[in-house]
Amino acid sequence: QVHLVESGGGLVQPGGSLRLSCAAAGINFSSATMGWYRQAPGKQREWVAGITSRHITGYSESVRERFTISRDNAKDRVYLQMNSLKPEDTAVYYCNAHLMRTYWGQGTQVTVSS
């Protein structure tokens, strides 16, 4: 059974930084495409960033040049470094894994507020 567990969320002031981590288990992690999504209150879940098994990365326009996705295949973890955070980045952030099918974590809350 595949498990994805996110951590690292919290409350941060505008302009601040957070690093999210997602630990994966039960999946051939190095072969999976990993991603981060987010869902703000009253809005649909949206894609934030992704990284392939070959470490090719992609970002949504709203976070490009502020967020960085990375992975550590030795630790079965994917990370999202978030800098220059804005109030509109407030959302529940979900880890996503895709390998023949799609798996989701439970999410971690990120709140950007002064």
Side-chain angles (χ1 to χ4, degrees), residues 48-64:
V48 174
I51 184 167
T52 71
S53 59
R54 298 185 178 184
H55 295 249
I56 297 171
T57 59
Y59 300 91
S60 69
E61 283 298 323
S62 62
V63 307
R64 194 183 304 274

Side-chain angles (χ1 to χ4, degrees), residues 88-108:
E88 51 264 43
D89 295 317
T90 295
V92 177
Y93 283 71
Y94 296 92
C95 178
N96 168 281
H98 183 79
L99 183 62
M100 292 185 285
R101 55 166 290 185
T102 300
Y103 304 90
W104 293 93
Q106 294 294 318
T108 185

Side-chain angles (χ1 to χ4, degrees), residues 23 43-44 50 77 82 91:
K43 295 188 176 181
Q44 290 189 332
R77 285 181 177 264
M82 305 186 295

Side-chain angles (χ1 to χ4, degrees), residues 59-78:
Y59 300 91
S60 69
E61 283 298 323
S62 62
V63 307
R64 194 183 304 274
E65 297 185 6
R66 298 189 298 122
F67 291 10
T68 302
I69 189 171
S70 61
R71 65 191 297 162
D72 185 339
N73 289 343
K75 296 182 178 179
D76 289 356
R77 285 181 177 264
V78 62

